[in-house]
Structure formats: structure tokens, C-alpha cells
Amino acid sequence: MRVVLIGPRGSGKTTIGALLAEAMGYRFCDTDAMVEAAEGMSIPAIFAERGESAFRTAETAAIRSLPPDGVVAATGGGAVLSGGNVQALRAGSLTVFLDADAAVLAARTYRSTRPPLTGLSHTEEVIAVRNARLPLYRGAADFCIDTGALSHAEAVSRIQAFVKERESGAACRALVAFLQQTRMDRNEWEMTGERLCRVEGMPLHGLFAVIGSPCLHSRSPELFTALFAACGVDGVYTRIDWPDLGAIMAAVRAAGVKGLSVTIPFKSDVMQYCDEITADACAIGAVNTMVRCGDGWTGANTDWTGIRQPLAGTPPGDAVVFGAGGAARAAVYALQDLGMAVTVLNRSPDRARSIARSFGCEYGAHDAYNPERTDVIVNATPVGMEGRGGSLLAAGDLRAHHTVFDLVYTPPETLLLRNARAVGCRCIRGTEMFVYQAQEQMRLFTGIGADADMIREILG
Ligand code: NAP
């Protein structure tokens, strides 16, 4: 096994790494020192003479040459910027994120000879770089420690205790006991139990779950199980279908669960369990992804990314969103981020007005729809779903210049999309939202980016 330390400059990776290696009887490797030895020059000289990209290439080579076993490795602050680096670092390793408050990091690195990464002042750079990389560190880490609050010896003993806990697997057994009382059928929890509580302890990279009521039919367990296998993540992803959110959160905390996908009806209620919520999730008013780092949960929203990504590159214009629920809020946020002027049209105009107030956009009832003043249409209602059928817009309501994104994904080709195709519109299926929200969730859960095509292939 390897222990890999990640984190910003000044978080103590080299000092704590050397002490940890000594305590565990492991060898210590520092990828920055490996780069300097391989290139025959200091890191400031590599940056000055060959540029940052040459340094990153050398860093990736150093990471790939780390021994697979019996090593504690300290990495450079930017190692996590590449999903490929994270995948290589995590293979067969426990990854520990060493963090500290930005003021502590700035004080520790004030006299550093490391090259600056931005044109900002030292303190501003420390804050900006740490904030930008936090989601990557948190995703890539199996365990997180605040070294600002601990002595080096305490940090070492915390990491050793974590390694032992992961080897014991006791926390997994507690989660299986909880799963037995949920709606999971006996076969499934027995299989999950076997995967969770292996004889040699807990999976190296921990436990993940989708939580909801109901969520028995969620495709996330199938998707993430395949993605973890393809990306070398030794994690188990299960489902927790149970109506009592408080009981779920107590169980996942006790079991040390690393990441949660959150679905109906918990997307706003889980916010009370988050220690930090991203600005996007706050603006949308919903959290669909939770990542635990140390004792704290960070709440994020990847639904809006799932809507924004397939529309990226669409010229700014007039967009209409049908619906005024959670999916519509994510759609309005994504469309505004793309520079669109948005109008929300809903069956009950009162709900449309409430969204319009939050986001400062136009609103109305369905009959306010004007095809000539529309460029992009997003259907965020269930109309068109399997079993219900129908479409809010007929072919006569559509124009060839429209982009039509139907968030309904069962069936993949809805009546609305069939109508839009007949007229010559650009069409985007609801499955694309699922693909891109899952891609972002994978990055937040593991620090590893999964290819969209791989996700499409897994989903079939
Ligand atoms: P929600 O909070 O229940 O909101 C549903 C909205 O649709 C409400 O504004 C509702 O209007 C409207 N609506 C319902 N039935 C209607 C009908 N027969 N005619 C006209 N409007 C109707 O649901 P949500 O979470 O926002 O999800 C909406 C849809 O988005 C889901 O059904 C799903 O198909 C899709 N979705 C897709 C993904 C994906 O990954 N592709 C993810 C999430 C959601 P009222 O306000 O008048 O009740």
C-alpha cells in the first residue's frame, strides 16, 4: 500500500510525509524533489527557462514512476490539476489531503522560493489558488486533515489511525446493518454487504451512495460501479432508499461514507447537513452532490452543469424554460450563465413568478410562448415521460432555428424531440443532462474526470 499526501504549498506534506514514512517503516518520496533530480535543475529554474507546462510534464512522469508499495509520497500543490495524475496517484493508495487556513498557508510560504502562479500578491495568490483547487483536493482525498490545528506528530498519528480504521472494515458493517432496514431487497443488501465488508477491510477509496425516497430505480449505482472499475477507484457505490433523512445522515456519517448523490425529495433538506455549500448550489437552492472531507460535508449542485455542458457554445439569445420546479431552477441558472435572456413559463404562473424573482428573469403562463422570440427551449416538466406521453409544443410551435433540450430522459426520444427533429431544430436529449451531471459528480467524488463517451456507453 502507498500513502499519498496532496494539498497546497505550505500544508506540511514534505515534513509530515517524512515523519509518517519513518513511523510506518515506509520509504519517503517527494515528487518535486524527483522532478528536480530528473531535470537537473531547481523548480524555479524549470518554470523560468521552460515554463509551467514543462514542469507539469515532468511532474506527471515522476508520479507515474512512484513505487506501488511501501511508500509515503508527497506531491506538488498542482498535482491534482490533472485527472490522469490523480488516477495514477490513487491506484493502490490511500490519499490524504493536508490543508490549512489560507492565512496559515500564506505565513508558512512567505519566504518560499517556489515560483508564483498568478500576478496576484502573495496572500491573494494563496487564497485564490487554494479556493480553486479545493474541490479537486477534496475529491481526490480519502482522508483530510487541517495541519493548521495540529502538531506534526499529531498529524502523523491521525493518518496512522485512519489507515488502521480502513483496514478494520468496522464502519462498513455498521452501514450494512442500516441498509438491512431500508427498502433494499435481501439479495441486494447481501451482495452489497459482501462488497462493502471484505475480509481485508473497507474498500481503499471508501463508500458512496445515492440517497432518496424512492431511489430504487436510480441508475447511479450501475454507472458509478462501472466508472470506478474503469478508473481504478477501489470504492463501493450503493443506494439508500429510505424516507428518514436524519437517520440516513447519521448512518453515513458513522460509516465514513465519502460521497452522496442526492435525489428526490432531499435536494433542499440536505442543505442543513452541509458544512459548506458551493455558490452555485446556494443560488439554485438545491444540493444533489455531497462530498465528505474530514468531518465536514460540502454540498454542490451538478444538475446545472448537466444542462450547461450540452448547450455550451450556443450563441446567447432568448431562452424559454417550461416548468418551475427544481430542474427548472438549475436550467435558468445554466442558461443565464451562458448569457441567455430567460423566460420561465409554467402551468401555475405563481411558481414561475417565484423563480423569476430569485433569478431576475421574465415569467408567464404557457400561452405567453412566442416562437419567433425564442432561440432555446428547455422542457423541465415531466410532460413526455414514459407512461404519460404528450408534448407541450406541437411541430407548428417550433422553428428550424430553435435548440430544443428535453430534460425528460425516459424515453430518450420524446414526442417533443420528434416534433422538433421534424422541423429541423437542434435537439438535445435528457440523457445528456444525466451524462454531464454524472461526469461532474465523478470529478467531485474522486478527483478523476471520466470521459462523456464512456458514461454514454455504460448507460447504453
Ligand atoms: P418538479 O419539481 O416536480 O417540477 C415539475 C414542474 O413541471 C412543475 O413546475 C409543474 O408545474 C410542471 N408540470 C407537471 N406536470 C405538468 C403538466 N402536465 N403540464 C404542464 N406542466 C406540468 O420536478 P423537477 O424535479 O423540476 O423535474 C422536472 C422534470 O425534469 C422531471 O420530470 C424529469 O423528467 C426531468 N429531470 C431530468 C433530469 C435528467 O438528468 N435528465 C434530472 C432532473 C429532472 P406546476 O408548478 O404547475 O405544478
Side-chain angles (χ1 to χ4, degrees):
M1 211 247 293
R2 289 190 304 200
V3 178
V4 171
L5 305 183
I6 57 173
R9 283 180 193 167
S11 57
K13 297 178 301 258
T14 309
T15 313
I16 293 169
L19 290 170
L20 179 67
E22 198 184 326
M24 294 180 76
Y26 280 14
R27 193 175 139 197
F28 176 61
C29 294
D30 179 333
T31 59
D32 278 353
M34 290 163 74
V35 167
E36 289 185 325
E39 300 299 305
M41 60 172 87
S42 70
I43 290 173
I46 300 173
F47 268 71
E49 290 175 31
R50 300 191 197 154
E52 183 177 348
S53 70
F55 168 75
R56 297 285 166 220
T57 305
E59 181 179 52
T60 296
I63 286 170
R64 288 181 195 280
S65 71
L66 282 169
D69 254 327
V71 163
V72 173
T75 58
V80 294
L81 292 173
S82 145
N85 282 353
V86 175
Q87 191 168 336
L89 285 169
R90 298 199 77 181
S93 312
L94 277 177
T95 308
V96 182
F97 168 29
L98 303 189
D99 192 19
D101 187 77
V104 173
L105 296 174
R108 285 183 187 163
T109 53
Y110 191 64
R111 291 184 191 285
S112 164
T113 54
R114 289 286 191 258
L117 300 168
T118 65
L120 300 169
S121 73
H122 176 68
T123 305
E124 284 170 344
E125 173 168 303
V126 169
I127 295 170
V129 171
R130 177 179 174 275
N131 285 349
R133 292 176 181 173
L134 256 183
L136 297 172
Y137 290 135
R138 286 174 173 158
D142 302 303
F143 186 58
C144 311
I145 321 190
D146 180 353
T147 63
L150 298 173
S151 69
H152 291 151
E154 284 168 333
V156 166
S157 83
R158 289 264 182 106
I159 298 172
Q160 283 189 292
F162 169 69
V163 173
K164 271 215 182 97
E165 183 193 302
R166 198 104 317 180
E167 283 167 354
S168 94
C172 298
R173 285 188 285 279
L175 184 66
V176 173
F178 179 74
L179 289 175
Q180 288 176 20
Q181 70 167 65
T182 69
R183 293 194 192 105
M184 190 178 266
D185 77 32
R186 191 183 171 87
N187 264 350
E188 191 179 350
W189 70 250
E190 278 180 358
M191 267 168 44
T192 308
E194 271 170 35
R195 285 190 297 142
L196 288 177
C197 306
R198 301 178 312 199
V199 267
E200 71 272 29
M202 184 161 165
L204 214 48
H205 303 137
L207 311 177
F208 301 79
V210 53
I211 62 170
S213 183
C215 66
L216 277 183
H217 301 293
S218 165
R219 296 200 67 191
S220 294
E222 168 200 351
L223 174 64
F224 282 102
T225 299
L227 285 178
F228 287 176
C231 299
V233 174
D234 180 23
V236 171
Y237 189 110
T238 184
R239 67 185 101 219
I240 305 179
D241 185 327
W242 193 241
D244 181 348
L245 181 60
I248 294 174
M249 292 311 297
V252 298
R253 184 175 282 282
V257 167
K258 163 87 198 281
L260 295 172
S261 308
V262 182
T263 184
I264 293 167
F266 298 140
K267 287 186 184 184
S268 46
D269 289 347
V270 288
M271 293 173 101
Q272 65 187 290
Y273 295 93
C274 296
D275 301 274
E276 202 177 306
I277 298 175
T278 63
D280 306 320
C282 278
I284 294 163
V287 159
N288 79 327
T289 308
M290 290 175 75
V291 179
R292 198 177 55 91
C293 200
D295 285 333
W297 287 102
T298 303
N301 186 301
T302 67
D303 282 336
W304 82 278
T305 329
I307 297 169
R308 190 193 185 285
Q309 277 297 103
L311 287 168
T314 309
D318 293 308
V320 170
V321 174
F322 285 97
R329 294 183 73 87
V332 174
Y333 189 74
L335 290 161
Q336 287 186 331
D337 194 62
L338 290 165
M340 309 269 176
V342 183
T343 303
V344 176
L345 301 181
N346 194 43
R347 185 173 61 175
S348 335
D350 279 359
R351 281 188 81 191
R353 189 194 308 130
S354 152
I355 292 203
R357 277 209 189 119
S358 309
F359 293 95
C361 60
E362 301 292 315
Y363 73 96
H366 288 181
D367 59 9
Y369 170 70
N370 177 349
E372 316 309 335
R373 290 195 43 215
T374 300
D375 301 298
V376 175
I377 296 165
V378 176
N379 176 36
T381 77
V383 178
M385 269 172 75
E386 221 140 48
R388 297 187 188 207
S391 166
L392 291 178
L393 299 174
D397 300 320
L398 298 161
R399 303 288 178 269
H401 74 274
H402 289 168
T403 293
V404 181
F405 192 170
D406 195 343
L407 303 191
V408 170
Y409 60 95
T410 45
E413 189 73 1
T414 58
L415 179 58
L416 171 63
L417 291 181
R418 288 206 302 278
N419 290 341
R421 246 178 252 288
V423 175
C425 305
R426 175 181 167 223
C427 293
I428 305 172
R429 293 175 164 188
T431 44
E432 287 298 281
M433 174 178 172
F434 190 70
V435 166
Y436 285 102
Q437 77 77 20
Q439 183 183 52
E440 180 63 3
Q441 224 165 43
M442 177 71 180
R443 200 178 67 92
L444 293 173
F445 283 160
T446 65
I448 299 170
D451 195 54
D453 279 338
M454 187 198 291
I455 298 176
R456 286 188 192 102
E457 201 174 305
I458 293 167
L459 294 172

